[in-house]
């Protein structure tokens, strides 16, 4: 298999049957060993360090830039890596392709590479089967499978992109929108803030470069940070965040330099607030009692469930900036537990599903939404829970594709 180095579409990763077996009798050489065949491949340390850049999914161009490689030399090196089976084409792990012929809402399953080459695609759904960032109850790693299973009772996508008529709003939902399902990112053995989240950041980066909206089914709320990080790395200079959540997930702004050590679902907004490109974070539904007031942060505006019943709050939401793109994150515990009990940290006195849908309509009016996620839903507890989650995910995608 030959890959052209000017092809930035595909991601490559070190073959997991290869492992580092130590130095080759000299500190100037390293040995990579194939544990199936026992073959040793001796690499100069300079080449080994370039190979190590593919420890997590990377596009070839980003590695070339990082190591300042010239075109011909880079081509020979990548060809060598592929010929020796040191790296291979990476695609999201998906445990559902054999179970379902179609993806969420009947979207067709498609590879990342094919999606990046198709200029007509507006949105790409992606599951992140990850809940290692939780501090209390796990289970959100099962959410993508549950949402897919129930989604066809909510919406049926067709090849003609005609959408479906909503008799409540008197509108066509997802009319003219070409969408695909990329499957799931995840692994059977997960490490906190490891390759799953790094792979997610690489994917949102690739999708955003092609103006494809990543629509993510989490997973716990910590996935929002790498998703936004990848979008920003595509060249976005300013962004706003709309965060529906019962919890603020914030005490103080945090530096991104050590996010892999610090990130969890309870501080994700602190890390996001620490990003220079983030202009504003609008939090809706926050109602958790806390031990002490959080550090004042000019970027954050917070509205409780009581606030959103006031016309003044709705007017403020209507006046949110329209000159910057927005990322939309919905932690499903923003809903009242009577509507959605299937979450790890439910809190009483939340908002209703109807209020959430109304707020999404207000927020999406003439605003560009460049990514979205639904997080903290524990899949598999009930069919109704899966249907509610699927309804919210549909309305998120609809909001993101209106502009």
């Amino acid at each position: 298999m030959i890959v052209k180095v000017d092809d930035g579409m595909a991601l490559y990763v070190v073959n997991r049957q290869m492992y580092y077996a130590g130095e080759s009798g000299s500190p100037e050489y390293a040995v990579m060993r194939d544990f199936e065949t026992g073959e040793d491949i001796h690499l100069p340390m300079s080449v080994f360090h370039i190979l190590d850049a593919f420890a997590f999914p990377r596009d070839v161009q980003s590695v070339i830039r990082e190591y300042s490689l010239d075109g011909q030399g880079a081509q020979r090196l990548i060809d060598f890596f592929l010929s020796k089976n040191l790296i291979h084409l990476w695609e999201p792990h998906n445990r559902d392709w054999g179970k379902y012929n179609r993806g969420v809402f009947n979207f067709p399953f498609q590879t990342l590479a094919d999606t990046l080459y198709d200029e007509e695609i507006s949105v790409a759904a992606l599951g992140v089967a990850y809940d290692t960032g939780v501090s209390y109850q796990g289970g959100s790693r099962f959410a993508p499978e549950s949402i897919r299973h129930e989604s066809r009772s909510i919406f049926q996508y067709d090849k003609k992109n005609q959408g479906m008529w909503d008799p409540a709003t008197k509108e066509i939902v997802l009319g003219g929108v070409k969408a695909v399902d990329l499957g799931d990112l995840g692994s059977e053995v997960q490490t906190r803030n490891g390759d799953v989240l790094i792979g997610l950041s690489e994917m949102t980066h690739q999708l955003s470069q092609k103006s494809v909206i990543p629509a993510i089914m989490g997973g716990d709320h910590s996935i929002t940070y790498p998703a936004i990080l990848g979008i920003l790395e595509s060249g976005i200079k300013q962004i706003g965040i709309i965060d529906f959540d019962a919890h603020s997930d914030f005490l103080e702004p945090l530096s991104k330099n050590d996010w892999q050590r610090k990130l969890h679902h309870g501080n994700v907004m602190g890390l996001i607030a620490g990003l220079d490109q983030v202009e504003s974070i609008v939090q809706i539904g926050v109602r958790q009692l806390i031990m002490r007031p959080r550090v004042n942060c000019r970027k954050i505006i917070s509205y409780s469930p009581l606030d959103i019943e006031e016309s003044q709050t709705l007017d403020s939401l209507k006046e949110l900036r329209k000159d910057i793109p927005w990322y939309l994150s919905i932690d499903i515990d923003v809903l009242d537990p009577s509507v959605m009990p299937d979450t790890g940290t439910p809190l009483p006195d939340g908002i209703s599903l109807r209020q959430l849908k109304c707020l999404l309509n207000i927020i999406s009016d003439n605003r560009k939404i460049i990514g979205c996620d639904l997080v903290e839903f524990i899949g598999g507890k009930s069919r109704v829970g899966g249907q509610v989650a699927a309804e919210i995910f549909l309305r998120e995608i609809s909001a993101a594709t209106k502009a």
Side-chain angles (χ1 to χ4, degrees), residues 87-102:
I87 63 173
H88 61 80
L89 183 66
W90 177 86
E91 290 291 347
H93 164 71
N94 177 48
R95 66 191 67 180
D96 296 315
W97 285 32
K99 187 182 299 183
Y100 307 116
N101 292 325
R102 307 283 285 186

mmCIF file with all atom_site columns, all heavy atoms in Angstrom, residues 87-102:
data_model
loop_
_atom_site.group_PDB
_atom_site.id
_atom_site.type_symbol
_atom_site.label_atom_id
_atom_site.label_alt_id
_atom_site.label_comp_id
_atom_site.label_asym_id
_atom_site.label_entity_id
_atom_site.label_seq_id
_atom_site.pdbx_PDB_ins_code
_atom_site.Cartn_x
_atom_site.Cartn_y
_atom_site.Cartn_z
_atom_site.occupancy
_atom_site.B_iso_or_equiv
_atom_site.pdbx_formal_charge
_atom_site.auth_seq_id
_atom_site.auth_comp_id
_atom_site.auth_asym_id
_atom_site.auth_atom_id
_atom_site.pdbx_PDB_model_num
ATOM 1   N N   . ILE A 1 87  ? 3.157   0.812  10.523 1.00 0.00 ? 87  ILE A N   1
ATOM 2   C CA  . ILE A 1 87  ? 1.947   1.616  10.676 1.00 0.00 ? 87  ILE A CA  1
ATOM 3   C C   . ILE A 1 87  ? 0.887   1.069  9.728  1.00 0.00 ? 87  ILE A C   1
ATOM 4   O O   . ILE A 1 87  ? 1.195   0.337  8.781  1.00 0.00 ? 87  ILE A O   1
ATOM 5   C CB  . ILE A 1 87  ? 2.192   3.120  10.381 1.00 0.00 ? 87  ILE A CB  1
ATOM 6   C CG1 . ILE A 1 87  ? 2.628   3.333  8.926  1.00 0.00 ? 87  ILE A CG1 1
ATOM 7   C CG2 . ILE A 1 87  ? 3.186   3.705  11.350 1.00 0.00 ? 87  ILE A CG2 1
ATOM 8   C CD1 . ILE A 1 87  ? 2.729   4.803  8.534  1.00 0.00 ? 87  ILE A CD1 1
ATOM 9   N N   . HIS A 1 88  ? -0.358  1.440  9.997  1.00 0.00 ? 88  HIS A N   1
ATOM 10  C CA  . HIS A 1 88  ? -1.440  1.050  9.093  1.00 0.00 ? 88  HIS A CA  1
ATOM 11  C C   . HIS A 1 88  ? -2.525  2.123  9.118  1.00 0.00 ? 88  HIS A C   1
ATOM 12  O O   . HIS A 1 88  ? -2.569  2.977  10.025 1.00 0.00 ? 88  HIS A O   1
ATOM 13  C CB  . HIS A 1 88  ? -2.028  -0.321 9.480  1.00 0.00 ? 88  HIS A CB  1
ATOM 14  C CG  . HIS A 1 88  ? -2.636  -0.367 10.853 1.00 0.00 ? 88  HIS A CG  1
ATOM 15  N ND1 . HIS A 1 88  ? -3.893  0.103  11.148 1.00 0.00 ? 88  HIS A ND1 1
ATOM 16  C CD2 . HIS A 1 88  ? -2.138  -0.828 12.043 1.00 0.00 ? 88  HIS A CD2 1
ATOM 17  C CE1 . HIS A 1 88  ? -4.152  -0.067 12.422 1.00 0.00 ? 88  HIS A CE1 1
ATOM 18  N NE2 . HIS A 1 88  ? -3.100  -0.625 12.994 1.00 0.00 ? 88  HIS A NE2 1
ATOM 19  N N   . LEU A 1 89  ? -3.392  2.075  8.138  1.00 0.00 ? 89  LEU A N   1
ATOM 20  C CA  . LEU A 1 89  ? -4.513  3.006  8.062  1.00 0.00 ? 89  LEU A CA  1
ATOM 21  C C   . LEU A 1 89  ? -5.403  2.815  9.272  1.00 0.00 ? 89  LEU A C   1
ATOM 22  O O   . LEU A 1 89  ? -5.720  1.694  9.649  1.00 0.00 ? 89  LEU A O   1
ATOM 23  C CB  . LEU A 1 89  ? -5.307  2.769  6.774  1.00 0.00 ? 89  LEU A CB  1
ATOM 24  C CG  . LEU A 1 89  ? -6.476  3.720  6.495  1.00 0.00 ? 89  LEU A CG  1
ATOM 25  C CD1 . LEU A 1 89  ? -5.970  5.127  6.240  1.00 0.00 ? 89  LEU A CD1 1
ATOM 26  C CD2 . LEU A 1 89  ? -7.281  3.217  5.300  1.00 0.00 ? 89  LEU A CD2 1
ATOM 27  N N   . TRP A 1 90  ? -5.773  3.923  9.893  1.00 0.00 ? 90  TRP A N   1
ATOM 28  C CA  . TRP A 1 90  ? -6.594  3.871  11.105 1.00 0.00 ? 90  TRP A CA  1
ATOM 29  C C   . TRP A 1 90  ? -8.016  4.314  10.806 1.00 0.00 ? 90  TRP A C   1
ATOM 30  O O   . TRP A 1 90  ? -8.240  5.294  10.105 1.00 0.00 ? 90  TRP A O   1
ATOM 31  C CB  . TRP A 1 90  ? -5.998  4.786  12.176 1.00 0.00 ? 90  TRP A CB  1
ATOM 32  C CG  . TRP A 1 90  ? -6.788  4.860  13.443 1.00 0.00 ? 90  TRP A CG  1
ATOM 33  C CD1 . TRP A 1 90  ? -6.722  4.025  14.513 1.00 0.00 ? 90  TRP A CD1 1
ATOM 34  C CD2 . TRP A 1 90  ? -7.773  5.841  13.785 1.00 0.00 ? 90  TRP A CD2 1
ATOM 35  N NE1 . TRP A 1 90  ? -7.584  4.417  15.486 1.00 0.00 ? 90  TRP A NE1 1
ATOM 36  C CE2 . TRP A 1 90  ? -8.255  5.536  15.066 1.00 0.00 ? 90  TRP A CE2 1
ATOM 37  C CE3 . TRP A 1 90  ? -8.300  6.942  13.110 1.00 0.00 ? 90  TRP A CE3 1
ATOM 38  C CZ2 . TRP A 1 90  ? -9.222  6.290  15.695 1.00 0.00 ? 90  TRP A CZ2 1
ATOM 39  C CZ3 . TRP A 1 90  ? -9.273  7.702  13.746 1.00 0.00 ? 90  TRP A CZ3 1
ATOM 40  C CH2 . TRP A 1 90  ? -9.730  7.372  15.027 1.00 0.00 ? 90  TRP A CH2 1
ATOM 41  N N   . GLU A 1 91  ? -8.972  3.569  11.322 1.00 0.00 ? 91  GLU A N   1
ATOM 42  C CA  . GLU A 1 91  ? -10.376 3.947  11.260 1.00 0.00 ? 91  GLU A CA  1
ATOM 43  C C   . GLU A 1 91  ? -10.975 3.760  12.650 1.00 0.00 ? 91  GLU A C   1
ATOM 44  O O   . GLU A 1 91  ? -10.490 2.937  13.430 1.00 0.00 ? 91  GLU A O   1
ATOM 45  C CB  . GLU A 1 91  ? -11.151 3.087  10.253 1.00 0.00 ? 91  GLU A CB  1
ATOM 46  C CG  . GLU A 1 91  ? -10.798 3.371  8.806  1.00 0.00 ? 91  GLU A CG  1
ATOM 47  C CD  . GLU A 1 91  ? -11.263 4.745  8.333  1.00 0.00 ? 91  GLU A CD  1
ATOM 48  O OE1 . GLU A 1 91  ? -12.068 5.385  9.033  1.00 0.00 ? 91  GLU A OE1 1
ATOM 49  O OE2 . GLU A 1 91  ? -10.807 5.174  7.261  1.00 0.00 ? 91  GLU A OE2 1
ATOM 50  N N   . PRO A 1 92  ? -12.045 4.510  12.978 1.00 0.00 ? 92  PRO A N   1
ATOM 51  C CA  . PRO A 1 92  ? -12.669 4.333  14.289 1.00 0.00 ? 92  PRO A CA  1
ATOM 52  C C   . PRO A 1 92  ? -13.119 2.897  14.505 1.00 0.00 ? 92  PRO A C   1
ATOM 53  O O   . PRO A 1 92  ? -13.645 2.276  13.594 1.00 0.00 ? 92  PRO A O   1
ATOM 54  C CB  . PRO A 1 92  ? -13.885 5.275  14.250 1.00 0.00 ? 92  PRO A CB  1
ATOM 55  C CG  . PRO A 1 92  ? -13.668 6.165  13.108 1.00 0.00 ? 92  PRO A CG  1
ATOM 56  C CD  . PRO A 1 92  ? -12.749 5.490  12.155 1.00 0.00 ? 92  PRO A CD  1
ATOM 57  N N   . HIS A 1 93  ? -12.882 2.388  15.705 1.00 0.00 ? 93  HIS A N   1
ATOM 58  C CA  . HIS A 1 93  ? -13.416 1.075  16.056 1.00 0.00 ? 93  HIS A CA  1
ATOM 59  C C   . HIS A 1 93  ? -14.930 1.164  16.087 1.00 0.00 ? 93  HIS A C   1
ATOM 60  O O   . HIS A 1 93  ? -15.506 2.100  16.599 1.00 0.00 ? 93  HIS A O   1
ATOM 61  C CB  . HIS A 1 93  ? -12.903 0.675  17.445 1.00 0.00 ? 93  HIS A CB  1
ATOM 62  C CG  . HIS A 1 93  ? -13.663 -0.454 18.063 1.00 0.00 ? 93  HIS A CG  1
ATOM 63  N ND1 . HIS A 1 93  ? -13.568 -1.742 17.600 1.00 0.00 ? 93  HIS A ND1 1
ATOM 64  C CD2 . HIS A 1 93  ? -14.553 -0.478 19.076 1.00 0.00 ? 93  HIS A CD2 1
ATOM 65  C CE1 . HIS A 1 93  ? -14.342 -2.516 18.333 1.00 0.00 ? 93  HIS A CE1 1
ATOM 66  N NE2 . HIS A 1 93  ? -14.947 -1.769 19.222 1.00 0.00 ? 93  HIS A NE2 1
ATOM 67  N N   . ASN A 1 94  ? -15.602 0.197  15.498 1.00 0.00 ? 94  ASN A N   1
ATOM 68  C CA  . ASN A 1 94  ? -17.058 0.206  15.530 1.00 0.00 ? 94  ASN A CA  1
ATOM 69  C C   . ASN A 1 94  ? -17.583 -1.196 15.789 1.00 0.00 ? 94  ASN A C   1
ATOM 70  O O   . ASN A 1 94  ? -17.384 -2.104 14.998 1.00 0.00 ? 94  ASN A O   1
ATOM 71  C CB  . ASN A 1 94  ? -17.638 0.724  14.212 1.00 0.00 ? 94  ASN A CB  1
ATOM 72  C CG  . ASN A 1 94  ? -19.148 0.652  14.238 1.00 0.00 ? 94  ASN A CG  1
ATOM 73  O OD1 . ASN A 1 94  ? -19.743 1.092  15.208 1.00 0.00 ? 94  ASN A OD1 1
ATOM 74  N ND2 . ASN A 1 94  ? -19.743 0.085  13.221 1.00 0.00 ? 94  ASN A ND2 1
ATOM 75  N N   . ARG A 1 95  ? -18.238 -1.362 16.918 1.00 0.00 ? 95  ARG A N   1
ATOM 76  C CA  . ARG A 1 95  ? -18.722 -2.684 17.288 1.00 0.00 ? 95  ARG A CA  1
ATOM 77  C C   . ARG A 1 95  ? -20.108 -2.963 16.716 1.00 0.00 ? 95  ARG A C   1
ATOM 78  O O   . ARG A 1 95  ? -20.649 -4.040 16.890 1.00 0.00 ? 95  ARG A O   1
ATOM 79  C CB  . ARG A 1 95  ? -18.779 -2.816 18.814 1.00 0.00 ? 95  ARG A CB  1
ATOM 80  C CG  . ARG A 1 95  ? -19.785 -1.910 19.480 1.00 0.00 ? 95  ARG A CG  1
ATOM 81  C CD  . ARG A 1 95  ? -19.609 -1.896 20.985 1.00 0.00 ? 95  ARG A CD  1
ATOM 82  N NE  . ARG A 1 95  ? -18.359 -1.279 21.342 1.00 0.00 ? 95  ARG A NE  1
ATOM 83  C CZ  . ARG A 1 95  ? -17.960 -1.134 22.599 1.00 0.00 ? 95  ARG A CZ  1
ATOM 84  N NH1 . ARG A 1 95  ? -18.695 -1.557 23.584 1.00 0.00 ? 95  ARG A NH1 1
ATOM 85  N NH2 . ARG A 1 95  ? -16.804 -0.557 22.870 1.00 0.00 ? 95  ARG A NH2 1
ATOM 86  N N   . ASP A 1 96  ? -20.724 -1.971 16.056 1.00 0.00 ? 96  ASP A N   1
ATOM 87  C CA  . ASP A 1 96  ? -22.106 -2.128 15.635 1.00 0.00 ? 96  ASP A CA  1
ATOM 88  C C   . ASP A 1 96  ? -22.288 -2.415 14.154 1.00 0.00 ? 96  ASP A C   1
ATOM 89  O O   . ASP A 1 96  ? -23.387 -2.694 13.719 1.00 0.00 ? 96  ASP A O   1
ATOM 90  C CB  . ASP A 1 96  ? -22.904 -0.851 15.971 1.00 0.00 ? 96  ASP A CB  1
ATOM 91  C CG  . ASP A 1 96  ? -22.975 -0.610 17.454 1.00 0.00 ? 96  ASP A CG  1
ATOM 92  O OD1 . ASP A 1 96  ? -23.237 -1.569 18.184 1.00 0.00 ? 96  ASP A OD1 1
ATOM 93  O OD2 . ASP A 1 96  ? -22.771 0.540  17.874 1.00 0.00 ? 96  ASP A OD2 1
ATOM 94  N N   . TRP A 1 97  ? -21.243 -2.310 13.362 1.00 0.00 ? 97  TRP A N   1
ATOM 95  C CA  . TRP A 1 97  ? -21.425 -2.452 11.922 1.00 0.00 ? 97  TRP A CA  1
ATOM 96  C C   . TRP A 1 97  ? -21.980 -3.829 11.566 1.00 0.00 ? 97  TRP A C   1
ATOM 97  O O   . TRP A 1 97  ? -22.731 -3.964 10.618 1.00 0.00 ? 97  TRP A O   1
ATOM 98  C CB  . TRP A 1 97  ? -20.110 -2.187 11.188 1.00 0.00 ? 97  TRP A CB  1
ATOM 99  C CG  . TRP A 1 97  ? -19.757 -0.751 11.124 1.00 0.00 ? 97  TRP A CG  1
ATOM 100 C CD1 . TRP A 1 97  ? -20.047 0.208  12.042 1.00 0.00 ? 97  TRP A CD1 1
ATOM 101 C CD2 . TRP A 1 97  ? -19.024 -0.089 10.098 1.00 0.00 ? 97  TRP A CD2 1
ATOM 102 N NE1 . TRP A 1 97  ? -19.534 1.415  11.662 1.00 0.00 ? 97  TRP A NE1 1
ATOM 103 C CE2 . TRP A 1 97  ? -18.897 1.253  10.467 1.00 0.00 ? 97  TRP A CE2 1
ATOM 104 C CE3 . TRP A 1 97  ? -18.443 -0.519 8.913  1.00 0.00 ? 97  TRP A CE3 1
ATOM 105 C CZ2 . TRP A 1 97  ? -18.236 2.184  9.700  1.00 0.00 ? 97  TRP A CZ2 1
ATOM 106 C CZ3 . TRP A 1 97  ? -17.767 0.406  8.140  1.00 0.00 ? 97  TRP A CZ3 1
ATOM 107 C CH2 . TRP A 1 97  ? -17.673 1.741  8.529  1.00 0.00 ? 97  TRP A CH2 1
ATOM 108 N N   . GLY A 1 98  ? -21.584 -4.845 12.300 1.00 0.00 ? 98  GLY A N   1
ATOM 109 C CA  . GLY A 1 98  ? -22.111 -6.173 12.015 1.00 0.00 ? 98  GLY A CA  1
ATOM 110 C C   . GLY A 1 98  ? -23.531 -6.358 12.518 1.00 0.00 ? 98  GLY A C   1
ATOM 111 O O   . GLY A 1 98  ? -24.266 -7.204 12.035 1.00 0.00 ? 98  GLY A O   1
ATOM 112 N N   . LYS A 1 99  ? -23.931 -5.556 13.502 1.00 0.00 ? 99  LYS A N   1
ATOM 113 C CA  . LYS A 1 99  ? -25.259 -5.707 14.088 1.00 0.00 ? 99  LYS A CA  1
ATOM 114 C C   . LYS A 1 99  ? -26.305 -4.928 13.302 1.00 0.00 ? 99  LYS A C   1
ATOM 115 O O   . LYS A 1 99  ? -27.441 -5.366 13.137 1.00 0.00 ? 99  LYS A O   1
ATOM 116 C CB  . LYS A 1 99  ? -25.220 -5.202 15.539 1.00 0.00 ? 99  LYS A CB  1
ATOM 117 C CG  . LYS A 1 99  ? -26.500 -5.456 16.310 1.00 0.00 ? 99  LYS A CG  1
ATOM 118 C CD  . LYS A 1 99  ? -26.415 -4.897 17.716 1.00 0.00 ? 99  LYS A CD  1
ATOM 119 C CE  . LYS A 1 99  ? -25.302 -5.518 18.521 1.00 0.00 ? 99  LYS A CE  1
ATOM 120 N NZ  . LYS A 1 99  ? -25.278 -5.025 19.903 1.00 0.00 ? 99  LYS A NZ  1
ATOM 121 N N   . TYR A 1 100 ? -25.945 -3.746 12.831 1.00 0.00 ? 100 TYR A N   1
ATOM 122 C CA  . TYR A 1 100 ? -26.875 -2.901 12.110 1.00 0.00 ? 100 TYR A CA  1
ATOM 123 C C   . TYR A 1 100 ? -26.324 -2.617 10.711 1.00 0.00 ? 100 TYR A C   1
ATOM 124 O O   . TYR A 1 100 ? -25.141 -2.357 10.540 1.00 0.00 ? 100 TYR A O   1
ATOM 125 C CB  . TYR A 1 100 ? -27.079 -1.568 12.836 1.00 0.00 ? 100 TYR A CB  1
ATOM 126 C CG  . TYR A 1 100 ? -27.467 -1.716 14.286 1.00 0.00 ? 100 TYR A CG  1
ATOM 127 C CD1 . TYR A 1 100 ? -26.624 -1.255 15.299 1.00 0.00 ? 100 TYR A CD1 1
ATOM 128 C CD2 . TYR A 1 100 ? -28.656 -2.318 14.640 1.00 0.00 ? 100 TYR A CD2 1
ATOM 129 C CE1 . TYR A 1 100 ? -26.966 -1.393 16.626 1.00 0.00 ? 100 TYR A CE1 1
ATOM 130 C CE2 . TYR A 1 100 ? -29.007 -2.460 15.971 1.00 0.00 ? 100 TYR A CE2 1
ATOM 131 C CZ  . TYR A 1 100 ? -28.167 -1.995 16.957 1.00 0.00 ? 100 TYR A CZ  1
ATOM 132 O OH  . TYR A 1 100 ? -28.504 -2.142 18.271 1.00 0.00 ? 100 TYR A OH  1
ATOM 133 N N   . ASN A 1 101 ? -27.203 -2.634 9.731  1.00 0.00 ? 101 ASN A N   1
ATOM 134 C CA  . ASN A 1 101 ? -26.780 -2.298 8.372  1.00 0.00 ? 101 ASN A CA  1
ATOM 135 C C   . ASN A 1 101 ? -26.628 -0.795 8.189  1.00 0.00 ? 101 ASN A C   1
ATOM 136 O O   . ASN A 1 101 ? -25.927 -0.352 7.280  1.00 0.00 ? 101 ASN A O   1
ATOM 137 C CB  . ASN A 1 101 ? -27.785 -2.841 7.356  1.00 0.00 ? 101 ASN A CB  1
ATOM 138 C CG  . ASN A 1 101 ? -27.777 -4.356 7.319  1.00 0.00 ? 101 ASN A CG  1
ATOM 139 O OD1 . ASN A 1 101 ? -26.733 -4.966 7.483  1.00 0.00 ? 101 ASN A OD1 1
ATOM 140 N ND2 . ASN A 1 101 ? -28.949 -4.950 7.137  1.00 0.00 ? 101 ASN A ND2 1
ATOM 141 N N   . ARG A 1 102 ? -27.330 -0.031 9.013  1.00 0.00 ? 102 ARG A N   1
ATOM 142 C CA  . ARG A 1 102 ? -27.291 1.419  8.899  1.00 0.00 ? 102 ARG A CA  1
ATOM 143 C C   . ARG A 1 102 ? -26.956 2.017  10.257 1.00 0.00 ? 102 ARG A C   1
ATOM 144 O O   . ARG A 1 102 ? -27.081 1.385  11.299 1.00 0.00 ? 102 ARG A O   1
ATOM 145 C CB  . ARG A 1 102 ? -28.641 1.973  8.416  1.00 0.00 ? 102 ARG A CB  1
ATOM 146 C CG  . ARG A 1 102 ? -29.162 1.344  7.137  1.00 0.00 ? 102 ARG A CG  1
ATOM 147 C CD  . ARG A 1 102 ? -28.457 1.878  5.908  1.00 0.00 ? 102 ARG A CD  1
ATOM 148 N NE  . ARG A 1 102 ? -28.909 3.216  5.572  1.00 0.00 ? 102 ARG A NE  1
ATOM 149 C CZ  . ARG A 1 102 ? -28.541 3.884  4.481  1.00 0.00 ? 102 ARG A CZ  1
ATOM 150 N NH1 . ARG A 1 102 ? -27.690 3.337  3.637  1.00 0.00 ? 102 ARG A NH1 1
ATOM 151 N NH2 . ARG A 1 102 ? -28.985 5.077  4.227  1.00 0.00 ? 102 ARG A NH2 1
#
